Amino acid sequence: MVDHYKGSFFGRRVGKPASPRQSQLLQDVMPQVALDLTQTPPENLAELFPVPVKSVCLEIGFGGSEHLIHRARENPEIGFIGCEPFSSGIIKAVSSIEEHGLKNIRLYDDDAGKLLDWLPAASLDMAYQLYPDPWPKKKHWKRRFVNQINLTRIARALKSGCEYRFASDIDTYVDWTLSHCRRHPAFEWSAECASDWRTPWHNWPGTRYERKAHREGRIGRYLTFLRVEETKT
């Protein structure tokens, strides 16, 4: 088991200074959509949203928020929780939420581990982790979010039979994630053929990190794991 490397799953948190308009949006919009972990979470996460939603998904580290916003716009009946500690990502998400009038998104701007611990057990219908920081140097691999402790956190929050999705263009992180998930008793890799992990999920919008990878000659891999109840032997 990899030890929990506290406070180090993400790098810097502050980017370029916010513009006056962005600062105003953060002041006006962020309090409406931000999760407050000092409050007790509702047993039914649908209650976090001001509009009716039939299911709730979590995106861990949404980056520039392209995927988060795309999914929220195409699925107004689904509630989305986006976690991103980097301030520029939060600014982009808040701007898009305001622009499109989205009511089915909630944001958290700190460590995803804290959020996962706050969520009720078996409350999520899906969890995504798309192109996370790969920490490519071997001496930094312990900083990778995917480890046995965090997978247990994800598994606790996911409903049985639901999916944890992971995408990366870094082969060592893909192999790392496969190894950790296949060793974890709560997850089962769903791939049946090569196209299952070479092909993005339905109506995939892509992300800016993915586009950068393609420009630099790297290919994304798309892994889907099912939350299972059986103990592997």
Side-chain angles (χ1 to χ4, degrees):
M1 180 180 291
V2 176
D3 290 336
H4 180 57
Y5 201 78
K6 293 183 179 180
S8 60
F9 296 119
F10 48 85
R12 59 178 185 151
R13 298 188 60 176
V14 179
K16 297 179 181 178
S19 68
R21 178 181 179 277
Q22 290 171 335
S23 295
Q24 190 64 48
L25 281 174
L26 286 174
Q27 180 178 323
D28 295 343
V29 179
M30 187 62 179
Q32 301 176 34
V33 300
L35 294 181
D36 181 1
L37 269 57
T38 66
Q39 301 297 314
T40 302
E43 291 186 12
N44 182 357
L45 292 183
E47 296 176 18
L48 293 173
F49 304 88
V51 293
V53 297
K54 63 182 183 182
S55 58
V56 178
C57 301
L58 168 66
E59 183 165 344
I60 300 170
F62 59 74
S65 76
E66 301 94 342
H67 178 268
L68 178 69
I69 298 301
H70 173 85
R71 294 300 183 195
R73 292 185 68 192
E74 75 171 358
N75 299 285
E77 76 286 1
I78 297 176
F80 291 88
I81 298 173
C83 180
E84 175 57 58
F86 191 33
S87 61
S88 292
I90 291 292
I91 289 171
K92 290 178 180 178
V94 167
S95 297
S96 295
I97 290 170
E98 173 70 11
E99 177 185 355
H100 300 293
L102 298 173
K103 303 295 185 183
N104 60 331
I105 294 181
R106 289 292 174 264
L107 302 178
Y108 181 65
D109 62 355
D110 206 333
D111 185 352
K114 298 176 183 177
L115 175 59
L116 287 166
D117 290 343
W118 179 79
L119 294 171
S123 60
L124 292 175
D125 296 274
M126 187 176 292
Y128 301 91
Q129 196 176 7
L130 309 174
Y131 290 90
D133 190 329
W135 296 105
K137 295 182 180 179
K138 189 172 183 178
K139 65 180 180 180
H140 293 151
W141 284 2
K142 59 188 174 182
R143 295 173 179 254
R144 290 175 171 176
F145 189 81
V146 176
N147 60 42
Q148 296 297 295
I149 292 174
N150 285 335
L151 287 175
T152 295
R153 285 173 158 146
I154 294 170
R156 187 193 68 84
L158 272 177
K159 296 176 182 177
S160 179
C162 290
E163 295 180 353
Y164 164 52
R165 295 180 176 182
F166 177 93
S168 178
D169 60 302
I170 305 300
D171 289 344
T172 58
Y173 205 178
V174 172
D175 293 342
W176 169 283
T177 300
L178 274 172
S179 175
H180 276 276
C181 286
R182 294 178 79 173
R183 284 192 289 114
H184 198 288
F187 289 103
E188 182 178 279
W189 190 25
S190 67
E192 297 181 353
C193 59
S195 63
D196 289 341
W197 49 268
R198 291 175 176 171
T199 306
W201 300 283
H202 175 68
N203 205 16
W204 173 248
T207 73
R208 61 191 177 101
Y209 297 108
E210 182 183 57
R211 290 189 286 273
K212 178 182 178 183
H214 290 172
R215 290 195 301 269
E216 296 176 357
R218 296 189 302 277
I219 300 173
R221 301 303 185 197
Y222 309 88
L223 310 179
T224 301
F225 302 95
L226 296 179
R227 171 68 167 94
V228 296
E229 293 296 336
E230 298 81 5
T231 300
K232 294 181 180 178
T233 58

